[in-house]
Amino acid sequence: MYETTSKPAAISAAPPLLSRTLLVLLAVLLVLVWFGQLDLRHLVPSDEGRYAEMAREMLTTGNWITPRYNGYKYFEKPPLQTWMNALTFAWLGIGDWQARLYTALTGFLGILLVGYTGCRIFNKPAGLFAALALASAPYWNLLGHFNTLDMGLSFMMALTLCSLLLAQRPNLSAAQARNWMWLCWVSMALAVLSKGLIGVVLPGAVLILYSLIARDWALWKRLHLVSGLLLFFVVATPWFVLVDERNPEFFDFFFINEHFRRFLTPSHHRTGPLFYFVPVILLGFLPWLSVAWQSIRHAVRLPRQENRFSPVILLLVWSGFIFFFFSISESKLISYVLPIAPALALLLGAYLPLTTRGQLKRHLLGYAGFTVLAAAGVVYAIYVLQPGDDRTPYPLYAAYGVYALAALAVALAGIIVALWLNRRETPQAPFQAVLAFGVAWILATTLAGNGHEVFGRYSSGVLLVPAIKAAEAGMPADAPFYMVGVLDHTVPFYLGHTMISVQNPDELDFGVHQEPSKWIPTLAEFTLRWNHDPAALALVTPELFAKFTAQHLPMQVVTRDDRRVIIEKPQL
């Protein structure tokens, strides 16, 4: 940890931190790295394939009100991201990078938003460092490049938080304060359309807790409650009214099952210990852990604004309450606490400009030692222990080990450059050192994240698609394609059509009960239909394939991998 009593000049004392030219070059580099990697990996189960397929079905069916997945009604989440992905497919075509574009765009805009907010509520150096901290945090970087709902939700919630902070600055005109608050209300509505009631419940609870802790009751007079609530309902309500009108079963499933039961009971089988999210945050903000405590200490010492509003207390309450809320929930996933990342980045950004050369040197030397130890750990875990099983054999781990070691090498190289820059006798040197350190972590995280393709191309099933399409070409257009005993989240997207679910509805349980004629509930019924089909295909697990072989089911293998076997009904 850094000391706070050092006297040498801090980074914030440097005259201009970045030239306009260098700032533009860095922005262009970030754009190229951030968006240039979207097509380097195939979509992986389950979220990426699911949300891509839902958007593809929305586009092809033209039904923008009732979301469907594999042809079945799917009401687990609101449709904002599905809408955005479907529009992307309509404008840019259907593919991997298009499926990730909305997520990447919201992640990138989140970085810009945090930088702008830090500049306005603290100072320019704090804004630049906050943006750097968020961009280089593996948590934000990685989830910004996977097609999941949590990045879109986190951006809308960050917009809610930041617009509230920006609206409460003293000396704003009445129109400026009103417009920022209106943006806050609209972004809450978009957060609800992103993932449900948490988009308004969490910010509302944070605001109440902030008022109690800070004793800032005057804030409520500046929220534009009447016009804000009107805007909120104008944006958030129409879809809920339309979908409930067309699907009377929607209300109970979406509001009761997907919110209250999910939070209060382990019915969704995503439980975890109370400390589940502690390692998530530690690893997610790994490059900045050594300044975390000092950042909090510095933040609580900052004075309030002239209007008695405290941005720092709001940021701390936002981070603490959301972390606590999901920690006590009976449903946990790694991405759930992502909305606190922008707030943590702003707290880090406020402190980082105050670090001294000596503090920075110790920080960099500590991380140099960490990268060396981490590299040794990778070598031992992958090349000595040699993990693997039937689904994920050892050669895949060995291939990923190359990416992991390369990423650590990039991080170490950045640390060495940062140490050299920190020794230079120029006012900007410490800032340039922190910048080099952050950029190195962005590149290292990018390299490690895209290395996942060694696993992803197998888990996606995309390697099977050419053989499947060749088999389909020789069949009648109406030949059925069954998905037996498993819900495959990616193959339907890559094939470009839905499949008939058999025996195991998985998360489509609600949908198949709403439209039972669309699926086959038992293996016995599937076997009967298979025997009567003149032509058919089926995706089965290796275990079911062995069972069908023992039963002498008429079939021949089209293609297979370690997770799936594609069988064809022999045609007479």
Side-chain angles (χ1 to χ4, degrees):
M1 291 295 183
Y2 292 173
E3 300 168 1
T4 57
T5 56
S6 301
K7 300 299 182 183
I11 294 174
S12 57
L17 298 178
L18 281 180
S19 68
R20 187 180 298 273
T21 301
L22 182 56
L23 185 61
V24 170
L25 288 175
L26 287 172
V28 171
L29 175 63
L30 181 60
V31 168
L32 293 176
V33 172
W34 194 267
F35 293 99
Q37 59 179 295
L38 296 182
D39 209 32
L40 297 181
R41 294 176 291 105
H42 290 95
L43 303 178
V44 295
S46 57
D47 282 7
E48 287 206 298
R50 178 198 303 117
Y51 296 122
E53 174 60 14
M54 289 176 66
R56 189 198 66 79
E57 292 180 38
M58 179 174 282
L59 177 64
T60 56
T61 63
N63 188 338
W64 296 76
I65 301 300
T66 302
R68 288 183 177 272
Y69 180 36
N70 198 40
Y72 304 97
K73 293 180 180 181
Y74 193 84
F75 295 144
E76 289 200 7
K77 299 295 183 292
L80 180 59
Q81 183 156 322
T82 306
W83 287 341
M84 295 299 102
N85 285 346
L87 289 173
T88 303
F89 290 162
W91 296 335
L92 301 173
I94 298 175
D96 294 334
W97 71 267
Q98 296 94 327
R100 294 192 179 106
L101 183 59
Y102 174 73
T103 302
L105 185 61
T106 52
F108 184 79
L109 291 176
I111 295 169
L112 299 184
L113 175 65
V114 162
Y116 177 83
T117 304
C119 287
R120 292 296 182 268
I121 66 171
F122 296 124
N123 51 58
K124 288 184 178 180
L128 289 170
F129 276 117
L132 179 67
L134 189 60
S136 59
Y139 198 25
W140 191 264
N141 189 319
L142 292 174
L143 287 177
H145 295 96
F146 281 84
N147 182 27
T148 69
L149 299 185
D150 294 286
M151 180 53 75
L153 168 71
S154 297
F155 170 72
M156 296 306 172
M157 291 185 66
L159 189 57
T160 299
L161 171 66
C162 290
S163 54
L164 176 62
L165 292 170
L166 293 166
Q168 303 311 315
R169 289 172 293 162
N171 305 319
L172 286 183
S173 68
Q176 288 175 316
R178 179 201 64 210
N179 292 341
W180 280 115
M181 279 311 308
W182 280 356
L183 180 59
C184 178
W185 287 101
V186 169
S187 60
M188 270 196 291
L190 293 174
V192 170
L193 287 172
S194 295
K195 209 173 179 184
L197 293 180
I198 59 171
V200 64
V201 169
L202 294 184
V206 166
L207 200 60
I208 293 171
L209 284 174
Y210 163 81
S211 301
L212 292 170
I213 293 171
R215 299 185 179 182
D216 182 3
W217 311 109
L219 169 65
W220 290 84
K221 300 177 182 179
R222 304 192 297 269
L223 297 181
H224 293 270
L225 285 169
V226 175
S227 59
L229 282 169
L230 179 62
L231 276 173
F232 174 86
F233 285 112
V234 165
V235 174
T237 303
W239 176 75
F240 287 97
V241 172
L242 289 172
V243 73
D244 189 63
E245 184 180 79
R246 299 183 187 184
N247 306 274
E249 67 276 13
F250 167 80
F251 183 89
D252 179 74
F253 181 81
F254 181 81
F255 288 104
I256 306 302
N257 186 70
E258 287 303 301
H259 285 78
F260 296 103
R261 290 194 190 108
R262 180 184 289 266
F263 182 82
L264 296 171
T265 71
S267 60
H268 286 71
H269 309 293
R270 293 172 177 173
T271 58
L274 192 63
F275 57 84
Y276 179 91
F277 293 109
V278 172
V280 172
I281 294 300
L282 293 179
L283 293 174
F285 276 85
L286 185 61
W288 309 106
L289 287 184
S290 69
V291 298
W293 177 243
Q294 288 85 342
S295 297
I296 295 174
R297 289 180 60 188
H298 169 71
V300 297
R301 294 171 182 172
L302 289 175
R304 296 192 182 200
Q305 297 176 168
E306 298 171 17
N307 58 4
R308 300 299 298 160
F309 177 73
S310 174
V312 165
I313 294 179
L314 183 65
L315 291 171
L316 290 171
V317 173
W318 178 279
S319 303
F321 176 74
I322 294 177
F323 185 89
F324 171 78
F325 177 87
F326 286 112
S327 293
I328 64 172
S329 170
E330 288 292 338
S331 179
K332 295 181 176 72
L333 284 178
I334 288 174
S335 55
Y336 281 3
V337 296
L338 186 64
I340 75 175
L344 296 178
L346 284 166
L347 294 172
L348 288 165
Y351 174 75
L352 279 170
L354 305 178
T355 55
T356 65
R357 291 178 186 271
Q359 294 168 344
L360 184 55
K361 179 181 178 181
R362 289 189 288 276
H363 172 82
L364 294 171
L365 288 174
Y367 275 90
F370 167 80
T371 55
V372 172
L373 290 174
V378 169
V379 170
Y380 179 77
I382 293 182
Y383 300 107
V384 177
L385 296 181
Q386 298 189 355
D389 53 34
D390 291 339
R391 288 174 59 85
T392 310
Y394 169 70
L396 300 184
Y397 286 97
Y400 182 74
V402 176
Y403 285 92
L405 291 173
L408 290 169
V410 168
L412 183 59
I415 293 169
I416 293 171
V417 171
L419 283 167
W420 174 75
L421 288 171
N422 192 49
R423 294 183 61 186
R424 298 175 64 199
E425 296 298 328
T426 63
Q428 298 89 350
F431 172 77
Q432 293 169 350
V434 173
L435 186 63
F437 176 78
V439 169
W441 273 94
I442 293 173
L443 296 176
T445 302
T446 300
L447 189 57
N450 285 294
H452 186 269
E453 173 63 2
V454 301
F455 302 107
R457 62 175 173 262
Y458 289 100
S459 63
S460 71
V462 71
L463 299 178
L464 307 180
V465 170
I468 297 173
K469 288 187 173 181
E472 287 181 324
M475 292 183 173
D478 60 350
F481 197 144
Y482 302 102
M483 184 160 45
V484 187
V486 65
L487 174 60
D488 193 291
H489 293 281
T490 45
V491 169
F493 175 76
Y494 284 117
L495 287 177
H497 61 71
T498 60
M499 302 166 71
I500 301 171
S501 292
V502 178
Q503 188 200 35
N504 180 16
D506 202 295
E507 62 188 73
L508 295 175
D509 186 68
F510 169 79
V512 300
H513 282 88
Q514 296 302 314
E515 300 170 291
S517 62
K518 287 188 172 183
W519 84 301
I520 301 174
T522 66
L523 289 180
E525 187 175 340
F526 162 72
T527 302
L528 185 64
R529 287 186 56 171
W530 180 267
N531 286 324
H532 283 83
D533 287 328
L537 285 167
L539 182 156
V540 303
T541 63
E543 294 77 15
L544 278 175
F545 176 71
K547 180 177 180 178
F548 291 151
T549 300
Q551 293 174 351
H552 304 291
L553 188 73
M555 61 182 178
Q556 58 191 34
V557 175
V558 174
T559 183
R560 67 181 300 166
D561 60 20
D562 294 323
R563 305 178 183 208
R564 314 164 182 85
V565 183
I566 309 299
I567 58 174
E568 177 182 8
K569 171 72 179 296
Q571 299 185 51
L572 300 178

